[in-house]
Amino acid sequence: PRMLEPFDLFRGLPAELAARLGASAREERVGFGQVALREGESPRRLLLVAEGSLRVTRQTPLGEVSLGLLGPGQACGEEAFLSGQAHANTYRAAGETTLVSLEGDALRRACRSFPPLEARLRERAERVRLREQLLLQARFARDLPPQALEHLLERFQADSCAAGEPVSIHEPGLYVLREGELVVRSGPLVVGRILPGDTFAEDHLLG
């Protein structure tokens, strides 16, 4: 259990459950440039950064794209673990790094026994997904310092609308399309389309 104590993800975990989960934890050390998890691998475990950092990259048609660094307290591969799909990213040590590896089946049993744990994993996976989508598709996000991007992510709120339903701009802000497509009309005329990663409503923000 002590191996899990530094991680907020396991806050409030019942002692007996923490002991069982801790028994499946293993410490790993990776050196600079070594791959901890590779894009395309099956999600058999969840890795947590105890010390050091991991650089996150993804292969795209334009080549390898950097998706930032993970530091102490952060996990890698939450979305793959929850979905059961292959890892979408590669995680390489940016220096000497200590990781805690949690066996996937043990973590799934813990999630079933303690639903807040799964809820935290899903919340973190959603935040990671948004960050990566912004970095991959929204040019402005790539120019932001990491702290500024995290500050921005804290203020995003998810919304959705059905096909054919007008998008309501509730208040001035920056809107980013995550999925689907928006048709921009001026009267009966189609004057543009908004695709995933595009921003809109900046004129409301600027006044």
Side-chain angles (χ1 to χ4, degrees):
R2 289 185 179 180
M3 208 178 291
L4 305 181
E5 285 178 1
F7 301 100
D8 288 344
L9 179 62
F10 306 106
R11 183 181 65 253
L13 206 64
E16 183 179 347
L17 184 57
R20 290 202 302 268
L21 187 58
S24 77
R26 298 290 181 269
E27 189 175 86
E28 299 181 10
R29 289 185 171 84
V30 287
F32 174 76
Q34 285 187 295
V35 173
L37 284 176
R38 193 177 298 277
E39 184 176 347
E41 283 185 7
S42 298
R44 295 184 297 271
R45 57 186 181 153
L46 186 75
L47 288 181
L48 304 142
V49 181
E51 295 178 355
S53 59
L54 295 174
R55 184 169 299 281
V56 188
T57 61
R58 182 180 299 182
Q59 288 293 333
T60 74
L62 299 178
E64 188 176 79
V65 175
S66 175
L67 297 175
L69 291 172
L70 295 179
Q74 293 182 290
C76 55
E78 300 101 318
E79 187 168 357
F81 170 78
L82 290 166
S83 68
Q85 298 177 351
H87 289 287
N89 305 322
T90 293
Y91 302 84
R92 289 187 181 87
E96 294 297 320
T97 300
T98 301
L99 305 169
V100 174
S101 174
L102 282 175
E103 194 267 328
D105 288 342
L107 185 55
R108 290 185 184 92
R109 288 193 294 269
C111 287
R112 288 194 293 269
S113 299
F114 189 65
L117 176 58
E118 182 174 354
R120 289 172 196 161
L121 279 168
R122 292 194 179 280
E123 181 181 342
R124 290 179 180 219
E126 181 66 16
R127 184 183 176 94
V128 169
R129 183 167 173 257
L130 176 57
R131 181 198 300 115
E132 292 176 352
Q133 185 175 31
L134 285 174
L135 289 169
L136 287 167
Q137 298 176 324
R139 184 178 301 175
F140 80 91
R142 295 193 288 272
D143 296 328
L144 291 174
Q147 288 184 336
L149 179 58
E150 292 303 318
H151 183 75
L152 184 65
L153 287 169
E154 290 174 0
R155 283 153 179 75
F156 268 106
Q157 296 180 358
D159 203 353
S160 63
C161 59
E165 179 184 348
V167 175
S168 299
I169 306 300
H170 303 298
E171 58 184 42
L174 178 68
Y175 290 74
V176 181
L177 183 64
R178 297 192 59 186
E179 297 176 338
E181 180 179 331
L182 295 179
V183 176
V184 183
R185 296 181 181 273
S186 178
L189 298 177
V190 174
V191 297
R193 296 181 184 277
I194 297 173
L195 302 175
D198 290 344
T199 59
F200 60 99
E202 294 95 329
D203 52 338
H204 292 269
L205 178 64
L206 299 173

